Amino acid sequence: PTHFFGCFSTFNPDAIKDVQLYKGTYPAEYGGRLGSVVDIYNKDGNRRETTGGFTLGTLATRGYIEGPYGGADDPAGSYMVAVRRSTLEPLLAALDDVDGLPETFYFYDVNAKVNYDAGPDDKLSLAVYGGRDQLFLTPGDDQEFDVDYGNRTLSAEWTHLFSDQLFSNFLVAGSRYESTPAFSLGGTRFTQTNEVSDLSLQADLQYVPGDQHTIEAGLHASRLSFRLRDTFDGDETFNRTLQGVQTALYVKDTYALSPNWTIRGGLRATYFSEG
């Protein structure tokens, strides 16, 4: 969830449109969580004009561009690209004589999203994310500390409006986390490969019979894969892969009694194949 071991969030503020935090009693679509939920929405891109920004910092530099495409008067859609990278190399080079500082220490991430208006009642979008951290440190003679970790995600979404009261949202998403720390002590090398992959399908429906009443239902399914592999001095000491399927159904009813009172009820059923 972080870069630089907690100094920077994985989420680039230039790419974020909205953030919702559920500290507890979160809705039925987020069932199965052990703690709180942070729901983050990427920018869709400016549909009126092309804009951008660039920020140069001593620790990180970032830039973004967003705008419409397919015609100025009637655009076919919009796009957004945000890029960020750490800029510690000049500082590390200036402090080269100081013992214990890393020889390599950087991170980068890229957010991109494109939206397409397929019709008056259909909207398609494609979003990608890639981020990486790299640290190489030699704290002493015959000692090396090499850590490389990051995330990659790809998602495609289709929103269809059946009527003014009923619309649907379908999502196909894949993500992969990988961490490959390696240590060398006195000529002996230790390595670890830790991977978490997730391929998910989601189908959600929302029905709004009135201004005060909303009914939602959905189906979520994921194929999860976990792999952990360790080596010691060139020999494999552990290698385990676990794969499982998770499916869930939920229904939720929200009713606004007044501007100050809202009742929300939900029911969720979840199945895990193993793990």
Side-chain angles (χ1 to χ4, degrees):
T2 61
H3 294 296
F4 275 7
F5 305 103
C7 294
F8 287 87
S9 170
T10 299
F11 305 104
N12 186 344
D14 289 334
I16 301 304
K17 179 176 71 174
D18 188 26
V19 178
Q20 293 187 14
L21 171 64
Y22 299 95
K23 295 189 293 181
T25 63
Y26 29 83
E29 62 265 34
Y30 299 112
R33 270 58 173 187
L34 295 179
S36 60
V37 174
V38 180
D39 197 0
I40 298 180
Y41 298 86
N42 273 353
K43 287 181 179 178
D44 292 326
N46 195 323
R47 298 181 64 90
R48 298 184 300 273
E49 58 181 351
T50 300
T51 62
F54 182 78
T55 303
L56 179 64
T58 56
L59 297 180
T61 297
R62 66 182 196 259
Y64 76 94
I65 186 172
E66 59 179 333
Y69 67 89
D73 297 331
D74 187 19
S78 60
Y79 68 92
M80 179 277 300
V81 180
V83 181
R84 181 175 56 166
R85 193 190 189 281
S86 61
T87 49
L88 275 180
E89 283 88 345
L91 178 61
L92 294 177
L95 300 175
D96 185 53
D97 296 334
V98 179
D99 295 333
L101 289 179
E103 299 182 19
T104 303
F105 194 16
Y106 71 89
F107 78 86
Y108 72 87
D109 53 38
V110 179
N111 290 268
K113 187 176 183 180
V114 59
N115 302 282
Y116 173 65
D117 296 333
D121 299 327
D122 295 280
K123 178 182 177 181
L124 306 175
S125 67
L126 182 69
V128 296
Y129 168 83
R132 205 80 186 168
D133 278 65
Q134 177 70 52
L135 169 64
F136 183 74
L137 179 66
T138 54
D141 296 336
D142 295 329
Q143 297 180 6
E144 291 184 356
F145 180 79
D146 189 359
V147 176
D148 185 11
Y149 65 93
N151 298 278
R152 288 177 290 174
T153 68
L154 173 66
S155 64
E157 192 171 15
W158 171 35
T159 300
H160 177 68
L161 184 68
F162 291 98
S163 67
D164 293 339
Q165 294 178 308
L166 177 64
F167 74 90
S168 62
N169 193 75
F170 301 94
L171 175 71
V172 180
S175 69
R176 184 188 183 195
Y177 167 81
E178 183 180 28
S179 173
T180 57
F183 310 90
S184 292
L185 302 174
T188 301
R189 185 172 176 83
F190 310 79
T191 70
Q192 183 180 87
T193 301
N194 181 18
E195 299 176 358
V196 181
S197 299
D198 180 353
L199 178 62
S200 296
L201 302 173
Q202 296 186 17
D204 299 282
L205 292 172
Q206 181 169 327
Y207 176 60
V208 185
D211 295 337
Q212 298 175 304
H213 195 195
T214 302
I215 301 173
E216 299 173 62
L219 167 66
H220 297 175
S222 298
R223 181 183 182 273
L224 303 169
S225 178
F226 308 91
R227 185 191 180 206
L228 184 63
R229 179 179 181 268
D230 294 333
T231 68
F232 174 78
D233 201 19
D235 296 326
E236 184 178 84
T237 57
F238 186 84
N239 192 351
R240 177 75 185 277
T241 299
L242 174 66
Q243 293 182 341
V245 174
Q246 172 190 353
T247 59
L249 291 167
Y250 78 90
V251 61
K252 184 178 70 172
D253 194 347
T254 304
Y255 189 76
L257 295 176
S258 69
N260 297 323
W261 289 93
T262 300
I263 296 178
R264 176 183 294 123
L267 182 65
R268 181 183 179 93
T270 304
Y271 166 77
F272 297 94
S273 63
E274 67 174 303

